[in-house]
Amino acid sequence: MQFSKWVSDLNWRLLVILFSSLFLLLLYFSNYGAAGVIEFSLRKPPYTAAEEIRKSELTKSRIAVCLVGGARRFELTGPSIIERVLKEFPNSDLFLNSPLDSKSFKLSLLKYAPRVNSVRIFKPTPIPETESQVRVLTAANSPNGIQGLLQYFSLVEGCLTLIDDYQREKGFTYDWIVRTRVDGYWSAPLSSGSFIPGKYVVPPGSSFSGLNDRLGVGDYNTSVVALSRLSLIPTLDKLNYSQLNSETAFKAQLISHNVSYQTPAQPFCIVTDRKYPFPPGHFDVPVAALSSPGPLSGAKCRPCNPACTGSCVADVMVGLSKGWSWTPWTNTSIELCNAHSEWEVGWEEMFDEAAGKKLAQFRKRVNTMNVKQCVKDFKQMKKKAAKWDTPPLEQICKLGLGPKQ
Ligand SMILES: *[C@@H]1O[C@H](CO)[C@@H](O)[C@H](O)[C@H]1NC(C)=O
Ligand SMILES: *[C@@H]1O[C@H](CO)[C@@H](O)[C@H](O)[C@H]1NC(C)=O
Ligand SMILES: *[C@@H]1O[C@H](CO)[C@@H](O)[C@H](O)[C@H]1NC(C)=O
Ligand SMILES: *[C@@H]1O[C@H](CO)[C@@H](O)[C@H](O)[C@H]1NC(C)=O
């Protein structure tokens, strides 16, 4: 019969379609093999309807992303910032404020940023210490004393200055400022839920008696209070604050200006070369494996073969001082490194596996970069920028890639 033949033909076609889609699906997942698993499970591109709406609202607003700090391991952190902060909000303008050193050449990776606005790479000079700064701040637990704090505060406030200069010239105000660090590794995208009108959003944990100051997201007005780290010291002095570290000063700034804050978890960690005791004691700093599922909310991390997982993590975290270096955790969110010595042999492969093929390519690119390539990349980046205030490109590139002195 014609009809039954037609039906069985149809079934056969359906089967072909079914199997080929299954095959494609399998192919898709195998692409995300061992290296991509973490990225895949964290990125969750199908946002909820509410998230989609919020994201599209934000995509129509004016966002400044302020990136501060030394380039250090930017071949590891930079690509994650480009992919998961800058490209996540492709309308955002990048403002970079970074001290010149032998690693600054790595910042040429920012030629891949969707929008580059202002770039400032400067030779650091000592900041004279004023009486009010000496009264308000403490050198305790700061690797370079009060001078170290002032350098950091000046770096952060310098980014606000770049933003203000541009705004004044163009006659507009950014709706949002995202303040983040050059040494932050993002394991998943910055969430649109972190943009809350009238509130300043900072990460939970790593609060050192104050507020975690490793990331901040706020509207323009709250950001001005949060980023004016040097110029608000005299105000804190008048209010009789003293013995402040970076985190307690940060909290005092917000409180004294009636800026309320929220602390949603954040999917980034601060990549550090520093060594820390292991296992960490009550006031020690835990160092997470960069491959931890997270969110790590700005805890310190490095690529490692975790020395401490499962119940070991619980033992360490319960022992940490809650108001100091403690960070929120679950028994699956964080794995710890033994960070008492140098990064271990084979860290490159560990990083590549955690970060996935795409990010690993950038690491390799920086690894094989020469002065010529570096200058070329910086030139491309400069073409995108509205403001460029750096030493000569050759000089930045030769400092890290030229013949050793
Ligand atoms: C921000 O501050 C300015 C001046 O202090 C004020 O006019 C404006 O209404 C504030 N904007 C918001 C959104 O609070
Ligand atoms: C700060 O301390 C001085 C001297 O002890 C005192 O006179 C002043 O009222 C204090 N100011 C505030 C804002 O508490
Ligand atoms: C903060 O709020 C208090 C109480 O409402 C008010 O007295 C003070 O002037 C406010 N401070 C600022 C800087 O807005
Ligand atoms: C983690 O916690 C859950 C629930 O609290 C528990 O069922 C599980 O066994 C724990 N896993 C590990 C590895 O400790």
Side-chain angles (χ1 to χ4, degrees):
M1 271 196 318
Q2 280 302 95
F3 182 69
S4 71
K5 183 169 181 301
W6 182 75
V7 168
S8 67
D9 198 40
L10 188 72
N11 280 345
W12 184 79
R13 273 156 206 261
L14 274 175
L15 271 179
V16 168
I17 292 172
L18 193 73
F19 273 104
S20 48
S21 6
L22 266 177
F23 178 69
L24 280 177
L25 209 68
L26 266 175
L27 207 70
Y28 180 71
F29 275 101
S30 62
N31 255 344
Y32 278 98
V37 162
I38 288 162
E39 186 178 37
F40 186 66
S41 61
L42 276 172
R43 280 193 68 102
K44 48 175 184 196
Y47 293 107
T48 66
E51 281 169 336
E52 286 289 1
I53 291 169
R54 183 68 183 126
K55 222 163 132 13
S56 88
E57 280 169 4
L58 286 169
T59 306
K60 287 178 205 122
S61 65
R62 290 180 179 274
I63 304 178
V65 174
C66 175
L67 192 54
V68 301
R72 295 185 197 165
R73 299 279 189 170
F74 196 64
E75 74 275 31
L76 312 187
T77 58
S80 76
I81 295 168
I82 294 171
E83 289 295 316
R84 294 160 189 169
V85 179
L86 299 174
K87 287 194 182 163
E88 191 64 14
F89 297 96
N91 52 317
S92 60
D93 283 336
L94 175 67
F95 292 79
L96 173 72
N97 196 21
S98 182
L100 176 71
D101 63 27
S102 67
K103 309 286 191 245
S104 300
F105 73 92
K106 297 177 182 180
L107 298 169
S108 61
L109 274 179
L110 286 170
K111 79 162 190 176
Y112 294 107
R115 289 163 71 135
V116 179
N117 187 299
S118 301
V119 174
R120 177 171 179 259
I121 301 176
F122 63 95
K123 292 188 180 131
T125 50
I127 298 171
E129 296 169 15
T130 66
E131 278 175 28
S132 72
Q133 288 163 351
V134 172
R135 272 195 299 272
V136 170
L137 301 174
T138 173
N141 299 305
S142 164
N144 297 308
I146 287 181
Q147 185 56 221
L149 283 180
L150 295 180
Q151 293 286 343
Y152 178 54
F153 288 1
S154 157
L155 198 60
V156 172
E157 189 154 349
C159 203
L160 181 62
T161 309
L162 294 177
I163 292 171
D164 279 341
D165 286 349
Y166 185 71
Q167 290 188 154
R168 208 172 304 116
E169 199 178 302
K170 297 288 170 185
F172 76 94
T173 307
Y174 282 101
D175 300 309
W176 302 98
I177 298 180
V178 176
R179 192 235 117 186
T180 186
R181 287 172 50 149
V182 170
D183 54 2
Y185 171 79
W186 287 78
S187 60
L190 171 64
S191 160
S192 54
S194 290
F195 296 74
I196 308 176
K199 307 262 172 171
Y200 203 66
V201 165
V202 297
S206 305
S207 59
F208 298 89
S209 298
L211 275 185
N212 188 330
D213 66 354
R214 295 170 186 176
L215 168 75
V217 183
D219 57 26
Y220 181 76
N221 286 0
T222 56
S223 291
V224 168
V225 175
L227 302 182
S228 298
R229 304 224 47 185
L230 269 187
S231 55
L232 285 183
I233 290 178
T235 311
L236 300 183
D237 190 24
K238 283 200 196 82
L239 295 168
N240 290 346
Y241 281 104
S242 67
Q243 295 289 306
L244 301 180
N245 61 19
S246 179
E247 289 82 1
T248 49
F250 186 46
K251 188 173 183 178
Q253 265 170 248
L254 296 186
I255 289 177
S256 62
H257 288 76
N258 300 336
V259 172
S260 56
Y261 53 85
Q262 286 193 7
T263 58
Q266 300 290 346
F268 77 101
C269 62
I270 297 292
V271 176
T272 179
D273 273 289
R274 280 171 68 188
K275 298 169 193 163
Y276 295 92
F278 185 85
H282 195 56
F283 287 108
D284 288 333
V285 172
V287 178
L290 186 138
S291 56
S292 303
L296 293 173
S297 292
K300 295 287 171 83
C301 67
R302 56 155 83 175
C304 77
N305 211 343
C308 176
T309 60
S311 63
C312 168
V313 170
D315 289 344
V316 167
M317 299 312 277
V318 165
L320 294 179
S321 170
K322 193 105 190 202
W324 195 250
S325 57
W326 177 87
T327 188
W329 62 284
T330 69
N331 64 5
T332 52
S333 69
I334 183 169
E335 300 185 333
L336 298 174
C337 303
N338 179 345
H340 82 283
S341 59
E342 309 288 337
W343 286 16
E344 60 208 61
V345 174
W347 68 261
E348 292 90 344
E349 289 72 27
M350 293 167 201
F351 173 81
D352 293 355
E353 182 152 325
K357 282 191 198 130
K358 190 168 185 188
L359 266 56
Q361 280 167 13
F362 292 100
R363 181 186 73 71
K364 289 170 187 160
R365 181 188 176 86
V366 169
N367 230 10
T368 56
M369 188 175 263
N370 56 29
V371 173
K372 201 173 146 215
Q373 187 65 52
C374 168
V375 172
K376 193 171 159 223
D377 285 5
F378 267 131
K379 278 186 179 157
Q380 284 181 26
M381 181 177 157
K382 191 173 173 180
K383 261 192 221 141
K384 293 183 170 188
K387 304 256 173 183
W388 192 271
D389 177 13
T390 75
L393 304 182
E394 286 265 336
Q395 188 189 331
I396 305 176
C397 295
K398 278 189 178 152
L399 202 54
L401 299 167
K404 297 279 169 282
Q405 308 296 310

